[in-house]
Every structure is written in C-alpha cells, then in structure tokens.
Amino acid sequence: MSGTTTLPEADVEQEQRTKRQPPYNVILLNDDDHTFEYVIEMLKALFGHPVEKGYQLAKLVDSTGRAVVCTTSLERAELKRDQIHAFGPDARIPRCKGSMTAELEPAE
C-alpha cells in the first residue's frame, strides 16, 4: 500500500459544483450638489481609485447620470453603498446638505 490518499469521485464532483456569489455593481448617481473634486476625493478614499480614474468616473456620472464605481460581492457592495451615503456633504457647495446617492444592481 502506498502513502497517498485519493479523494472519492463524489468529493471531486462536489468541489467542481461549488457556486460563486454573483457580482453586484455599485452605481453612483448624479446630482447637482457635489463637485467633481468631491467625487474624486470620495472615490479615492472609499475605493482607492487614483485621481485620473476618479475624474473619468465623475465625468461619466455628470454626463450620463450614473456610473459603476465598483463590482464586487453583494455584502461588500452593500458596505460600499453605505459608505457613499455616509461620506458627508460637499463643503465647497453651501446648499449641499448630505452625501451622494448610490444603488446596487446585479452585474450579470
């Protein structure tokens, strides 16, 4: 008898059938109460996006009304959406009373 152990066929098949969680998009929604600078700073702080990527996303939000800022698991997407909602007002705009808005959607 050799010292190696083999897995039964059923165990290998079960491993191959393991499903991954479906990905979700975090969608940043446009408004008129936040500056490009605010959006860039928020995206850098919350997602680690470099300034250039933040600027591109800020332009996209401004021109189309929405932008995918992150694609991840549902749990992490919910956390990131909540962080966007809690980021606070844009001090550059006196009428700004709060954070930007974000929503989630399945990525597939």
Side-chain angles (χ1 to χ4, degrees), residues 31-51:
D31 62 34
D32 293 329
D33 291 337
H34 297 89
T35 61
F36 273 42
E37 291 84 2
Y38 173 93
V39 175
I40 293 165
E41 289 170 5
M42 179 190 61
L43 294 175
K44 183 175 183 181
L46 300 182
F47 298 94
H49 291 321
V51 172

PDB file of all heavy atoms in Angstrom, residues 31-51:
ATOM      1  N   ASP A  31     -26.041  64.157  -9.068  1.00  0.00           N
ATOM      2  CA  ASP A  31     -26.853  65.234  -8.519  1.00  0.00           C
ATOM      3  C   ASP A  31     -26.110  66.546  -8.774  1.00  0.00           C
ATOM      4  O   ASP A  31     -24.988  66.540  -9.258  1.00  0.00           O
ATOM      5  CB  ASP A  31     -27.158  65.033  -7.035  1.00  0.00           C
ATOM      6  CG  ASP A  31     -25.919  65.027  -6.161  1.00  0.00           C
ATOM      7  OD1 ASP A  31     -24.951  65.749  -6.461  1.00  0.00           O
ATOM      8  OD2 ASP A  31     -25.907  64.305  -5.159  1.00  0.00           O
ATOM      9  N   ASP A  32     -26.746  67.653  -8.470  1.00  0.00           N
ATOM     10  CA  ASP A  32     -26.135  68.955  -8.715  1.00  0.00           C
ATOM     11  C   ASP A  32     -25.509  69.558  -7.464  1.00  0.00           C
ATOM     12  O   ASP A  32     -25.110  70.717  -7.471  1.00  0.00           O
ATOM     13  CB  ASP A  32     -27.175  69.929  -9.291  1.00  0.00           C
ATOM     14  CG  ASP A  32     -27.622  69.510 -10.679  1.00  0.00           C
ATOM     15  OD1 ASP A  32     -26.815  68.916 -11.415  1.00  0.00           O
ATOM     16  OD2 ASP A  32     -28.787  69.769 -11.024  1.00  0.00           O
ATOM     17  N   ASP A  33     -25.434  68.797  -6.391  1.00  0.00           N
ATOM     18  CA  ASP A  33     -24.957  69.329  -5.121  1.00  0.00           C
ATOM     19  C   ASP A  33     -23.556  68.856  -4.730  1.00  0.00           C
ATOM     20  O   ASP A  33     -23.168  68.998  -3.566  1.00  0.00           O
ATOM     21  CB  ASP A  33     -25.928  68.956  -3.991  1.00  0.00           C
ATOM     22  CG  ASP A  33     -27.248  69.696  -4.125  1.00  0.00           C
ATOM     23  OD1 ASP A  33     -27.276  70.758  -4.769  1.00  0.00           O
ATOM     24  OD2 ASP A  33     -28.246  69.210  -3.585  1.00  0.00           O
ATOM     25  N   HIS A  34     -22.821  68.280  -5.666  1.00  0.00           N
ATOM     26  CA  HIS A  34     -21.466  67.811  -5.368  1.00  0.00           C
ATOM     27  C   HIS A  34     -20.540  68.144  -6.540  1.00  0.00           C
ATOM     28  O   HIS A  34     -20.908  67.976  -7.692  1.00  0.00           O
ATOM     29  CB  HIS A  34     -21.469  66.303  -5.106  1.00  0.00           C
ATOM     30  CG  HIS A  34     -22.284  65.933  -3.902  1.00  0.00           C
ATOM     31  ND1 HIS A  34     -23.626  65.659  -3.989  1.00  0.00           N
ATOM     32  CD2 HIS A  34     -21.947  65.836  -2.598  1.00  0.00           C
ATOM     33  CE1 HIS A  34     -24.084  65.389  -2.775  1.00  0.00           C
ATOM     34  NE2 HIS A  34     -23.083  65.496  -1.911  1.00  0.00           N
ATOM     35  N   THR A  35     -19.344  68.601  -6.203  1.00  0.00           N
ATOM     36  CA  THR A  35     -18.355  68.985  -7.218  1.00  0.00           C
ATOM     37  C   THR A  35     -17.567  67.769  -7.698  1.00  0.00           C
ATOM     38  O   THR A  35     -17.554  66.712  -7.053  1.00  0.00           O
ATOM     39  CB  THR A  35     -17.360  69.994  -6.621  1.00  0.00           C
ATOM     40  OG1 THR A  35     -16.678  69.369  -5.526  1.00  0.00           O
ATOM     41  CG2 THR A  35     -18.045  71.272  -6.167  1.00  0.00           C
ATOM     42  N   PHE A  36     -16.897  67.950  -8.825  1.00  0.00           N
ATOM     43  CA  PHE A  36     -16.002  66.913  -9.327  1.00  0.00           C
ATOM     44  C   PHE A  36     -14.947  66.588  -8.268  1.00  0.00           C
ATOM     45  O   PHE A  36     -14.592  65.432  -8.071  1.00  0.00           O
ATOM     46  CB  PHE A  36     -15.311  67.366 -10.619  1.00  0.00           C
ATOM     47  CG  PHE A  36     -16.096  67.083 -11.874  1.00  0.00           C
ATOM     48  CD1 PHE A  36     -17.458  67.291 -11.953  1.00  0.00           C
ATOM     49  CD2 PHE A  36     -15.449  66.608 -12.997  1.00  0.00           C
ATOM     50  CE1 PHE A  36     -18.163  67.032 -13.111  1.00  0.00           C
ATOM     51  CE2 PHE A  36     -16.140  66.341 -14.172  1.00  0.00           C
ATOM     52  CZ  PHE A  36     -17.502  66.555 -14.231  1.00  0.00           C
ATOM     53  N   GLU A  37     -14.445  67.623  -7.603  1.00  0.00           N
ATOM     54  CA  GLU A  37     -13.409  67.421  -6.581  1.00  0.00           C
ATOM     55  C   GLU A  37     -13.913  66.508  -5.464  1.00  0.00           C
ATOM     56  O   GLU A  37     -13.201  65.622  -4.998  1.00  0.00           O
ATOM     57  CB  GLU A  37     -12.939  68.760  -6.001  1.00  0.00           C
ATOM     58  CG  GLU A  37     -12.162  69.614  -6.970  1.00  0.00           C
ATOM     59  CD  GLU A  37     -13.053  70.459  -7.898  1.00  0.00           C
ATOM     60  OE1 GLU A  37     -14.309  70.413  -7.767  1.00  0.00           O
ATOM     61  OE2 GLU A  37     -12.491  71.153  -8.763  1.00  0.00           O
ATOM     62  N   TYR A  38     -15.151  66.733  -5.037  1.00  0.00           N
ATOM     63  CA  TYR A  38     -15.764  65.889  -4.003  1.00  0.00           C
ATOM     64  C   TYR A  38     -15.822  64.438  -4.468  1.00  0.00           C
ATOM     65  O   TYR A  38     -15.449  63.519  -3.736  1.00  0.00           O
ATOM     66  CB  TYR A  38     -17.171  66.406  -3.681  1.00  0.00           C
ATOM     67  CG  TYR A  38     -17.959  65.525  -2.746  1.00  0.00           C
ATOM     68  CD1 TYR A  38     -17.951  65.757  -1.374  1.00  0.00           C
ATOM     69  CD2 TYR A  38     -18.730  64.468  -3.227  1.00  0.00           C
ATOM     70  CE1 TYR A  38     -18.691  64.959  -0.502  1.00  0.00           C
ATOM     71  CE2 TYR A  38     -19.459  63.661  -2.372  1.00  0.00           C
ATOM     72  CZ  TYR A  38     -19.438  63.906  -1.013  1.00  0.00           C
ATOM     73  OH  TYR A  38     -20.166  63.110  -0.161  1.00  0.00           O
ATOM     74  N   VAL A  39     -16.326  64.224  -5.685  1.00  0.00           N
ATOM     75  CA  VAL A  39     -16.462  62.871  -6.221  1.00  0.00           C
ATOM     76  C   VAL A  39     -15.090  62.191  -6.293  1.00  0.00           C
ATOM     77  O   VAL A  39     -14.939  61.040  -5.874  1.00  0.00           O
ATOM     78  CB  VAL A  39     -17.146  62.874  -7.606  1.00  0.00           C
ATOM     79  CG1 VAL A  39     -17.176  61.479  -8.209  1.00  0.00           C
ATOM     80  CG2 VAL A  39     -18.553  63.452  -7.504  1.00  0.00           C
ATOM     81  N   ILE A  40     -14.096  62.905  -6.795  1.00  0.00           N
ATOM     82  CA  ILE A  40     -12.749  62.347  -6.913  1.00  0.00           C
ATOM     83  C   ILE A  40     -12.203  61.973  -5.540  1.00  0.00           C
ATOM     84  O   ILE A  40     -11.665  60.872  -5.352  1.00  0.00           O
ATOM     85  CB  ILE A  40     -11.819  63.335  -7.647  1.00  0.00           C
ATOM     86  CG1 ILE A  40     -12.271  63.487  -9.108  1.00  0.00           C
ATOM     87  CG2 ILE A  40     -10.367  62.900  -7.553  1.00  0.00           C
ATOM     88  CD1 ILE A  40     -11.665  64.686  -9.822  1.00  0.00           C
ATOM     89  N   GLU A  41     -12.358  62.866  -4.567  1.00  0.00           N
ATOM     90  CA  GLU A  41     -11.879  62.591  -3.203  1.00  0.00           C
ATOM     91  C   GLU A  41     -12.602  61.398  -2.585  1.00  0.00           C
ATOM     92  O   GLU A  41     -11.984  60.550  -1.939  1.00  0.00           O
ATOM     93  CB  GLU A  41     -12.064  63.819  -2.317  1.00  0.00           C
ATOM     94  CG  GLU A  41     -11.133  64.947  -2.646  1.00  0.00           C
ATOM     95  CD  GLU A  41     -11.475  66.246  -1.925  1.00  0.00           C
ATOM     96  OE1 GLU A  41     -12.399  66.248  -1.067  1.00  0.00           O
ATOM     97  OE2 GLU A  41     -10.834  67.261  -2.217  1.00  0.00           O
ATOM     98  N   MET A  42     -13.914  61.324  -2.776  1.00  0.00           N
ATOM     99  CA  MET A  42     -14.694  60.223  -2.227  1.00  0.00           C
ATOM    100  C   MET A  42     -14.273  58.890  -2.838  1.00  0.00           C
ATOM    101  O   MET A  42     -14.069  57.901  -2.123  1.00  0.00           O
ATOM    102  CB  MET A  42     -16.183  60.450  -2.456  1.00  0.00           C
ATOM    103  CG  MET A  42     -17.040  59.328  -1.915  1.00  0.00           C
ATOM    104  SD  MET A  42     -18.764  59.441  -2.416  1.00  0.00           S
ATOM    105  CE  MET A  42     -18.637  59.329  -4.177  1.00  0.00           C
ATOM    106  N   LEU A  43     -14.130  58.864  -4.160  1.00  0.00           N
ATOM    107  CA  LEU A  43     -13.760  57.620  -4.831  1.00  0.00           C
ATOM    108  C   LEU A  43     -12.355  57.162  -4.434  1.00  0.00           C
ATOM    109  O   LEU A  43     -12.104  55.959  -4.310  1.00  0.00           O
ATOM    110  CB  LEU A  43     -13.876  57.777  -6.348  1.00  0.00           C
ATOM    111  CG  LEU A  43     -15.308  57.984  -6.857  1.00  0.00           C
ATOM    112  CD1 LEU A  43     -15.305  58.262  -8.354  1.00  0.00           C
ATOM    113  CD2 LEU A  43     -16.184  56.781  -6.533  1.00  0.00           C
ATOM    114  N   LYS A  44     -11.469  58.113  -4.215  1.00  0.00           N
ATOM    115  CA  LYS A  44     -10.125  57.762  -3.764  1.00  0.00           C
ATOM    116  C   LYS A  44     -10.164  57.206  -2.340  1.00  0.00           C
ATOM    117  O   LYS A  44      -9.559  56.177  -2.044  1.00  0.00           O
ATOM    118  CB  LYS A  44      -9.197  58.975  -3.834  1.00  0.00           C
ATOM    119  CG  LYS A  44      -7.775  58.649  -3.458  1.00  0.00           C
ATOM    120  CD  LYS A  44      -6.854  59.823  -3.650  1.00  0.00           C
ATOM    121  CE  LYS A  44      -5.430  59.404  -3.323  1.00  0.00           C
ATOM    122  NZ  LYS A  44      -4.490  60.486  -3.469  1.00  0.00           N
ATOM    123  N   ALA A  45     -10.910  57.867  -1.464  1.00  0.00           N
ATOM    124  CA  ALA A  45     -10.983  57.446  -0.060  1.00  0.00           C
ATOM    125  C   ALA A  45     -11.685  56.103   0.115  1.00  0.00           C
ATOM    126  O   ALA A  45     -11.237  55.259   0.894  1.00  0.00           O
ATOM    127  CB  ALA A  45     -11.694  58.525   0.768  1.00  0.00           C
ATOM    128  N   LEU A  46     -12.788  55.889  -0.601  1.00  0.00           N
ATOM    129  CA  LEU A  46     -13.595  54.693  -0.386  1.00  0.00           C
ATOM    130  C   LEU A  46     -13.201  53.495  -1.242  1.00  0.00           C
ATOM    131  O   LEU A  46     -13.379  52.348  -0.828  1.00  0.00           O
ATOM    132  CB  LEU A  46     -15.079  54.997  -0.627  1.00  0.00           C
ATOM    133  CG  LEU A  46     -15.710  56.071   0.258  1.00  0.00           C
ATOM    134  CD1 LEU A  46     -17.185  56.215  -0.068  1.00  0.00           C
ATOM    135  CD2 LEU A  46     -15.501  55.743   1.731  1.00  0.00           C
ATOM    136  N   PHE A  47     -12.672  53.772  -2.444  1.00  0.00           N
ATOM    137  CA  PHE A  47     -12.388  52.681  -3.379  1.00  0.00           C
ATOM    138  C   PHE A  47     -10.921  52.580  -3.764  1.00  0.00           C
ATOM    139  O   PHE A  47     -10.524  51.647  -4.450  1.00  0.00           O
ATOM    140  CB  PHE A  47     -13.238  52.833  -4.652  1.00  0.00           C
ATOM    141  CG  PHE A  47     -14.713  52.772  -4.379  1.00  0.00           C
ATOM    142  CD1 PHE A  47     -15.441  53.926  -4.171  1.00  0.00           C
ATOM    143  CD2 PHE A  47     -15.372  51.561  -4.313  1.00  0.00           C
ATOM    144  CE1 PHE A  47     -16.808  53.884  -3.907  1.00  0.00           C
ATOM    145  CE2 PHE A  47     -16.737  51.497  -4.050  1.00  0.00           C
ATOM    146  CZ  PHE A  47     -17.448  52.664  -3.844  1.00  0.00           C
ATOM    147  N   GLY A  48     -10.136  53.589  -3.383  1.00  0.00           N
ATOM    148  CA  GLY A  48      -8.725  53.583  -3.753  1.00  0.00           C
ATOM    149  C   GLY A  48      -8.479  53.939  -5.206  1.00  0.00           C
ATOM    150  O   GLY A  48      -7.396  53.699  -5.735  1.00  0.00           O
ATOM    151  N   HIS A  49      -9.488  54.535  -5.864  1.00  0.00           N
ATOM    152  CA  HIS A  49      -9.312  54.932  -7.268  1.00  0.00           C
ATOM    153  C   HIS A  49      -8.311  56.088  -7.354  1.00  0.00           C
ATOM    154  O   HIS A  49      -8.419  57.055  -6.599  1.00  0.00           O
ATOM    155  CB  HIS A  49     -10.628  55.378  -7.894  1.00  0.00           C
ATOM    156  CG  HIS A  49     -11.621  54.278  -8.105  1.00  0.00           C
ATOM    157  ND1 HIS A  49     -11.284  53.015  -8.520  1.00  0.00           N
ATOM    158  CD2 HIS A  49     -12.968  54.263  -7.958  1.00  0.00           C
ATOM    159  CE1 HIS A  49     -12.362  52.276  -8.627  1.00  0.00           C
ATOM    160  NE2 HIS A  49     -13.402  53.010  -8.281  1.00  0.00           N
ATOM    161  N   PRO A  50      -7.358  56.019  -8.287  1.00  0.00           N
ATOM    162  CA  PRO A  50      -6.462  57.166  -8.477  1.00  0.00           C
ATOM    163  C   PRO A  50      -7.242  58.381  -8.995  1.00  0.00           C
ATOM    164  O   PRO A  50      -8.359  58.252  -9.495  1.00  0.00           O
ATOM    165  CB  PRO A  50      -5.452  56.668  -9.519  1.00  0.00           C
ATOM    166  CG  PRO A  50      -6.007  55.419 -10.091  1.00  0.00           C
ATOM    167  CD  PRO A  50      -7.066  54.908  -9.174  1.00  0.00           C
ATOM    168  N   VAL A  51      -6.632  59.544  -8.886  1.00  0.00           N
ATOM    169  CA  VAL A  51      -7.283  60.797  -9.276  1.00  0.00           C
ATOM    170  C   VAL A  51      -7.806  60.725 -10.713  1.00  0.00           C
ATOM    171  O   VAL A  51      -8.933  61.148 -10.992  1.00  0.00           O
ATOM    172  CB  VAL A  51      -6.318  61.994  -9.098  1.00  0.00           C
ATOM    173  CG1 VAL A  51      -6.912  63.265  -9.680  1.00  0.00           C
ATOM    174  CG2 VAL A  51      -5.984  62.169  -7.626  1.00  0.00           C
TER     175      VAL A  51
END
